[in-house]
Amino acid sequence: MGNNVIINADVEKAKINKNIYGHFAEHLGRGIYEGIWVGEDSPIPNTNGIREDVLEALKNLNIPVLRWPGGCFADEYHWKDGIGPRENRKRMINTHWGGVVENNHFGTHEFMMLCEMLETEPYICGNVGSGTVQEMSEWVEYMTFDGESPMANLRKENGRDEPWKLKYFGVGNENWGCGGNMRPEYYADLYRRYQTYVRNYGDNRIYKIAGGANVADYNWTEVLMKNAHWMMDGLSLHYYTIPGEFWTGKGSATDFPESEWFTTLKKALHMDTLIRNHSTIMDKYDPAKRVGLIIDEWGTWYDPEPGTNPGFLYQQNTIRDALVAGIHFNIFHAHADRVQMANIAQTINVLQAMILTEGEKMLLTPTYHVFEMFKVHHDASLLAVDSSFGNYELDGEALPQVTVSASKDADGKIHISLCNLDHQNQSDVDIDLRGFDLSSATIKGRILTTDQMNAHNTFEQPENVKPVEFTNAKKEGQSLSVTLPPMSVVVLAVE
């Protein structure tokens, strides 16, 4: 069977919300401390305590939105512990992640400063699990009220006269699990109560996100949509790509057989089924698709690197992770009418990270490079694509060998992203580009690929896996003939 793609360049569908390229930074392991925050007195070059090397690398991704402080940490985080003079801030035990001391040096002011430096929208997750309505209400007032009030005055005492702009606020996190082990009926009532006090002050308008389902818990989505859909702007979904079993062995990030490569990509593709099924339930109550599906935790989750604190969730990142990212983005694009945000877990040193650090050293992972390559899709128009691909087969199972997506940006430039999942065989793809004059067009491309399925970057070889120019796309009339090497991610630009 041939690999054929038809792209209708004159049929623009939904806008690809740039927020699907969002990030998530939790107080977990070395994700915040060392990864982002080193403090003003650190020998590591920093700006107001934020690592300069990490800051510059993240700026290059045009991060649209950053979720904080959790995760499970959010439902035991009390924001007033993280304001005021740092030497006076309360020290606590991070019971979820490694049992280490959290000194609260990175709090609301530091996070909002980071977002301003990155020119990214903050997405704050509030504490429903162990916090009060008053605490959540006062946090929103502290951040966004411009006038005379107890919380606004406290903010000014702590050095910030002007309120911040806060668009995204999550009312709880994983309340079916670490956020309180609640039933959906109970959480739906709590959500209705808590969100009432997440106020819009002045001209600040908050997009309220309800804590949604874990993987295929369709009943949770049903109950939340039935009882509260008109009180929310978004509903979250969490799904991790785990090759093994969560409690008995997830699999190694770098030492894996080809069967685990295949299983990992199969599980990444499952995201499409989850989105379709949850969207069908949402459509019943919200046919206009006003409520966004917010996939604010996704990515690979393996066993921690040997010799590291298992509660820090530190893992390496290979070309396999790059393909997982590319697969997800092509899926998110296809559901751009419902999926309005996604936040990879996590930005630095945790799970499927963009960046790994070791003291003063830093490296960019293959996943980072996919985010950078795909940023051309931010806020572009999804194009109508029909495709048929041959199978990628292993041990009697089959997956589509290639996934694809295409978009058109504001300047009319077309970008096509392709992933070849096969770890052994190249894929010859014929792309029929309709509604666009290809004869005088220029074709440029970039590719991320390797010849080893566990290839990754190390502090000794930080550029082992990086994008290079791609030249295997040839014009043939109104078609493009593209040869994708095994295990590759390619982005083409046509203008």
Side-chain angles (χ1 to χ4, degrees):
M1 180 179 177
N3 297 309
N4 299 295
V5 178
I6 298 172
I7 298 175
N8 292 289
D10 54 351
V11 181
E12 298 182 23
K13 304 177 78 174
K15 176 181 174 182
I16 298 170
N17 194 322
K18 64 182 179 181
N19 287 337
I20 70 166
Y21 291 89
H23 287 252
F24 171 35
E26 182 170 11
H27 287 244
L28 195 174
R30 296 183 298 116
I32 297 289
Y33 300 106
E34 186 192 318
I36 293 172
W37 178 261
V38 293
E40 293 100 327
D41 299 330
S42 173
I44 297 173
N46 67 88
T47 301
N48 298 333
I50 306 290
R51 287 183 72 128
E52 289 181 357
D53 53 355
V54 167
L55 191 62
E56 290 308 307
L58 293 181
K59 282 181 179 178
N60 191 43
L61 295 182
N62 299 339
I63 291 177
V65 61
L66 179 60
R67 181 175 181 248
W68 173 87
C72 292
F73 183 81
D75 277 291
E76 62 177 6
Y77 180 67
H78 300 286
W79 68 270
K80 289 181 182 177
D81 295 344
I83 60 173
R86 291 193 196 102
E87 64 272 15
N88 297 336
R89 295 183 189 179
K90 187 182 294 186
R91 293 163 65 86
M92 60 180 281
I93 300 297
N94 190 333
T95 56
H96 283 294
W97 305 120
V100 296
V101 173
E102 161 68 55
N103 65 18
N104 277 304
H105 282 195
F106 190 88
T108 302
H109 288 254
E110 291 77 15
F111 173 67
M112 298 302 265
M113 175 183 68
L114 171 65
C115 290
E116 289 175 342
M117 289 174 168
L118 292 172
E119 299 181 13
T120 187
E121 292 279 0
Y123 168 15
I124 284 184
C125 189
N127 182 347
V128 171
S130 70
T132 64
V133 173
Q134 180 179 354
E135 181 181 25
M136 184 178 291
S137 176
E138 288 183 341
W139 199 5
V140 174
E141 179 188 334
Y142 183 88
M143 290 184 284
T144 65
F145 186 70
D146 185 12
E148 179 79 18
S149 82
M151 293 303 106
N153 291 345
L154 181 59
R155 182 190 71 237
K156 292 171 185 175
E157 288 173 22
N158 289 326
R160 174 80 183 195
D161 287 336
E162 296 296 316
W164 291 287
K165 289 295 183 186
L166 174 65
K167 186 171 182 180
Y168 300 105
F169 194 91
V171 182
N173 167 77
E174 294 194 355
N175 300 98
W176 38 261
C178 65
N181 288 301
M182 302 174 192
R183 297 177 304 115
E185 293 81 3
Y186 180 69
Y187 172 70
D189 285 343
L190 273 190
Y191 172 79
R192 288 167 60 125
R193 179 183 174 211
Y194 275 68
Q195 67 81 34
T196 304
Y197 303 94
V198 177
R199 305 284 194 193
N200 290 322
Y201 293 109
D203 61 356
N204 191 73
R205 293 293 175 267
I206 291 179
Y207 184 102
K208 300 175 187 177
I209 299 170
N214 183 35
V215 193
D217 186 352
Y218 301 120
N219 180 57
W220 187 280
T221 298
E222 177 84 34
V223 171
L224 264 292
M225 289 298 294
K226 179 180 180 180
N227 291 292
H229 70 87
W230 63 96
M231 295 182 180
M232 67 178 76
D233 299 298
L235 180 64
S236 72
L237 172 65
H238 290 180
Y239 173 64
Y240 286 94
T241 299
I242 303 169
E245 295 299 323
F246 188 87
W247 296 113
T248 59
K250 302 177 186 71
S252 169
T254 56
D255 184 15
F256 53 86
E258 61 181 12
S259 60
E260 259 180 45
W261 167 281
F262 188 92
T263 298
T264 303
L265 301 189
K266 175 184 175 182
K267 290 190 172 183
L269 288 164
H270 184 58
M271 178 61 87
D272 184 66
T273 299
L274 293 172
I275 293 173
R276 289 181 188 278
N277 292 348
H278 284 288
S279 295
T280 298
I281 298 166
M282 295 175 76
D283 287 345
K284 184 165 72 170
Y285 299 99
D286 175 36
K289 300 184 188 292
R290 183 192 65 82
V291 178
L293 184 58
I294 310 297
I295 303 169
D296 53 17
E297 291 189 31
W298 69 273
T300 55
W301 193 334
Y302 310 121
D303 295 327
E305 290 302 307
T308 66
N309 186 327
F312 282 12
L313 307 188
Y314 177 80
Q315 63 190 42
Q316 252 293 354
N317 196 292
T318 70
I319 189 67
R320 176 176 63 162
D321 297 273
L323 277 158
V324 169
I327 289 168
H328 275 78
F329 288 139
N330 286 343
I331 291 170
F332 294 158
H333 292 178
H335 297 283
D337 57 346
R338 179 63 84 178
V339 177
Q340 296 302 323
M341 187 193 297
N343 307 77
I344 192 166
Q346 294 186 20
T347 306
I348 302 170
N349 288 332
V350 177
L351 298 176
Q352 192 175 346
M354 307 297 107
I355 293 171
L356 302 179
T357 68
E358 186 177 273
E360 76 287 352
K361 292 182 284 188
M362 182 198 82
L363 65 80
L364 308 178
T365 68
T367 297
Y368 175 97
H369 294 307
V370 174
F371 269 75
E372 191 275 326
M373 292 167 68
F374 276 56
K375 69 183 181 183
V376 295
H377 290 298
H378 288 198
D379 280 346
S381 296
L382 178 70
L383 295 179
V385 174
D386 290 306
S387 60
S388 60
F389 295 114
N391 286 335
Y392 165 37
E393 299 180 356
L394 188 72
D395 297 334
E397 289 194 90
L399 302 175
Q401 186 182 1
V402 177
T403 77
V404 62
S405 183
S407 71
K408 182 188 289 185
D409 69 15
D411 297 323
K413 186 185 293 187
I414 294 170
H415 291 100
I416 306 165
S417 45
L418 298 143
C419 299
N420 182 6
L421 282 57
D422 197 316
H423 70 289
Q424 291 181 313
N425 300 301
Q426 73 178 38
S427 177
D428 298 313
V429 181
D430 181 71
I431 301 175
D432 182 3
L433 194 57
R434 300 179 180 177
F436 183 88
D437 183 10
L438 197 59
S439 61
S440 59
T442 58
I443 313 297
K444 296 180 180 178
R446 297 170 74 205
I447 182 171
L448 189 71
T449 190
T450 66
D451 56 5
Q452 295 178 308
M453 64 182 181
N454 70 340
H456 56 280
N457 295 330
T458 66
F459 295 106
E460 294 71 37
Q461 293 182 299
E463 296 190 344
N464 190 37
V465 184
K466 66 177 183 179
V468 296
E469 183 182 7
F470 178 71
T471 57
N472 284 333
K474 310 296 183 187
K475 287 192 290 185
E476 296 179 357
Q478 271 300 110
S479 295
L480 287 173
S481 177
V482 183
T483 300
L484 303 174
M487 42 189 185
S488 62
V489 180
V490 169
V491 175
L492 301 175
V494 183
E495 62 177 327

